[in-house]
Amino acid sequence: MTAALTAFSVSSHTLRALASTEPSPEGTRLVRDVRRSKRLVLLRAVLDAAPCGRSGQTADHWALLEEAERHDPAAVRDVLHYPATGVWAEETLRRLHDPDGPPPDLAHLGALAAAAALRSGISFTHTLRPVHGRIVLPTLGLLRPARPGPLVLTERSWDPDDPATLPLHALPAGRTALDDLDPYRAPGPAHPAPLRPARRLTPKGHKRWDTQWSGALTLLQRYDTVRAEETVQLLRSLVPLAGGSRSSGATLPAAAGSVLARAQAPPALAATLVHEVQHGKLTALADVLTLHTADATPRHWAPWRSDPRPLEGLLHGAYAHLALAGYWQRAALYGARGAWAQHARIRAQVSAVLPVLRAHEQLTNAGREFTDAMAAAERAMDDLPPPGDQHAAARRAVDRERRAWCEAHPGLAPFAQV
């Protein structure tokens, strides 16, 4: 846990492999390594900024983490790199540097340490104070003590068969958790774009998600085996969104390895997973490689949204939709109903904005190589075109949408075309 941030270099081969959106061993390895290094730096920053960070209760929590790591590094790594831990760490660091804001939740470091100790199998004694009558142990679940007040935890405190214990729900066929317990599974109300996670699900709700998840993975494995494997490797948790959520899915840079999604039928969930995993990949790449120097002013047309987008948002959207176009093309070749129409529509959207991206004057050399490789991947789809004139019809429809958007945003019309 004292490791410094690794100095990453991204080869041209890896950059172009990632740009194509197609899974590759080197791309997956880079994404995972970047996430791990970034998390270690963030946790060290929290410890350094914490009052009495090297003495007192915070130091006791950290010492327990280090002791657990000596016995089982993999278990501790999973706790510290769990997606919700990143949300907690970023929020805590922000509060530590804002003396006028709410106090930081440094007690959660104790919950992380206890979870790591329990998973590593060491003998320990550690005292935690319940919040709202419960103690959340990341990657494990939560404890509901019978009595109020501080609780002394030992290596015997976690018993999945105890009614006072509520384990985190594991989705079938993999290591992905359905997280409806962790208080940091989604950002708080202060986040610029709040996403409401669902409340704790009933056993019936868990079973419904098991069915949807299994169905989505089955479709991914049938239509696009490598994307199915990539999804399982890069996705550590899935957070159900509350009913009525407008978005079918979302990712948070702070929660690397997590997707927030609303309940949906397996075909839609499979597409959501493909789409959201790409956002996570591009975020990791951007952490170690500057692709552009544009500001965050929303000015660009994106066919998949009605509001203007900054260049970063346009790039992310085009990247995720490029992967979707490839997924639906493969699904169509397997005879999936409606897949050719989905492929043609999404590919037409991507091809409409790629020229704008590639011509942008604030792309770096790496960004230009990245968008050129995206364009090459889009052109390669010509090898297996949809039947009839579906692609041409989709292009005409997107052009009509572009003209309508320009009429609605006359001052931004130059940003909708090269």
Side-chain angles (χ1 to χ4, degrees):
M1 291 188 293
T2 58
L5 179 64
T6 306
F8 288 95
S9 62
V10 183
S11 69
S12 178
H13 174 75
T14 300
L15 179 65
R16 296 184 72 84
L18 280 168
S20 74
T21 80
E22 296 296 325
S24 66
E26 57 272 22
T28 298
R29 185 164 50 250
L30 176 70
V31 170
R32 296 176 75 171
D33 289 348
V34 168
R35 288 175 175 176
R36 288 169 180 165
S37 292
K38 183 180 179 181
R39 181 63 56 79
L40 290 177
V41 169
L42 181 59
L43 290 168
R44 174 53 66 182
V46 169
L47 183 66
D48 290 343
C52 303
R54 303 199 182 265
S55 63
Q57 204 169 42
T58 300
D60 291 342
H61 298 330
W62 195 261
L64 182 59
L65 274 169
E66 291 186 324
E67 183 183 354
E69 185 187 44
R70 285 192 289 271
H71 286 262
D72 192 341
V76 178
R77 186 164 54 243
D78 190 45
V79 172
L80 294 183
H81 296 285
Y82 188 67
T85 304
V87 178
W88 165 78
E90 287 202 3
E91 176 66 13
T92 298
L93 191 60
R94 184 184 68 78
R95 292 185 180 190
L96 285 168
H97 290 291
D98 181 11
D100 298 324
D105 180 14
L106 290 171
H108 191 70
L109 182 60
L112 292 168
L118 285 164
R119 292 192 52 187
S120 69
I122 63 173
S123 297
F124 73 100
T125 300
H126 207 64
T127 302
L128 297 180
R129 185 176 294 276
V131 177
H132 304 303
R134 64 184 196 173
I135 294 175
V136 175
L137 298 171
T139 74
L140 287 175
L142 62 85
L143 295 174
R144 294 170 289 193
R147 293 182 296 275
L151 180 68
V152 178
L153 274 70
T154 71
E155 64 275 12
R156 295 180 296 276
S157 294
W158 183 258
D159 179 2
D161 296 324
D162 188 330
T165 300
L166 186 64
L168 188 66
H169 185 75
L171 289 165
R175 60 187 289 271
T176 305
L178 183 71
D179 195 341
D180 57 345
L181 299 177
D182 198 296
Y184 292 98
R185 63 190 183 277
H191 192 271
L195 294 163
R196 288 196 308 115
R199 294 178 181 271
R200 180 154 52 92
L201 301 178
T202 64
K204 184 177 179 181
H206 285 155
K207 187 174 182 180
R208 182 167 59 247
W209 268 103
D210 285 349
T211 300
Q212 293 169 345
W213 170 263
S214 296
L217 273 191
T218 297
L219 292 174
L220 282 172
Q221 290 161 351
R222 180 185 306 161
Y223 302 147
D224 202 335
T225 306
V226 289
R227 287 203 193 280
E229 183 178 348
E230 178 184 64
T231 298
V232 172
Q233 287 183 345
L234 294 182
L235 197 59
R236 180 64 180 87
S237 69
L238 190 152
V239 176
L241 286 171
S245 298
R246 288 179 295 173
S247 175
S248 59
T251 54
L252 302 172
S258 180
V259 165
L260 296 94
R262 59 176 168 82
Q264 51 200 296
L269 181 58
T272 294
L273 294 175
V274 169
H275 183 278
E276 297 301 334
V277 165
Q278 308 314 309
H279 286 306
K281 290 162 59 179
L282 186 51
T283 295
L285 179 64
D287 280 334
V288 295
L289 200 64
T290 301
L291 299 177
H292 67 83
T293 58
D295 60 28
T297 303
R299 53 169 67 98
H300 294 282
W301 167 66
W304 41 85
R305 293 181 63 135
S306 59
D307 55 328
R309 302 293 289 151
L311 181 65
E312 179 73 6
L314 185 65
L315 178 60
H316 261 272
Y319 185 68
H321 281 79
L322 177 62
L324 270 182
Y327 168 71
W328 284 118
Q329 184 180 50
R330 290 184 173 93
L333 294 171
Y334 275 88
R337 181 179 300 178
W340 276 125
Q342 291 273 30
H343 162 73
R345 176 180 61 85
I346 295 171
R347 185 188 170 189
Q349 292 175 335
V350 174
S351 65
V353 300
L354 275 173
V356 175
L357 284 171
R358 297 176 69 197
H360 203 285
E361 59 184 14
Q362 288 181 281
L363 287 180
T364 62
N365 288 338
R368 205 164 304 284
E369 183 176 6
F370 187 82
T371 54
D372 285 349
M374 285 177 63
E378 187 268 328
R379 286 193 303 271
M381 294 178 187
D382 282 336
D383 294 343
L384 297 166
D389 68 343
Q390 290 188 63
H391 186 45
R395 280 178 171 269
R396 290 193 294 270
V398 170
D399 284 340
R400 289 194 297 270
E401 293 169 8
R402 188 206 309 258
R403 290 193 295 271
W405 190 89
C406 290
E407 290 174 4
H409 304 83
L412 300 178
F415 295 100
Q417 48 207 339
V418 179

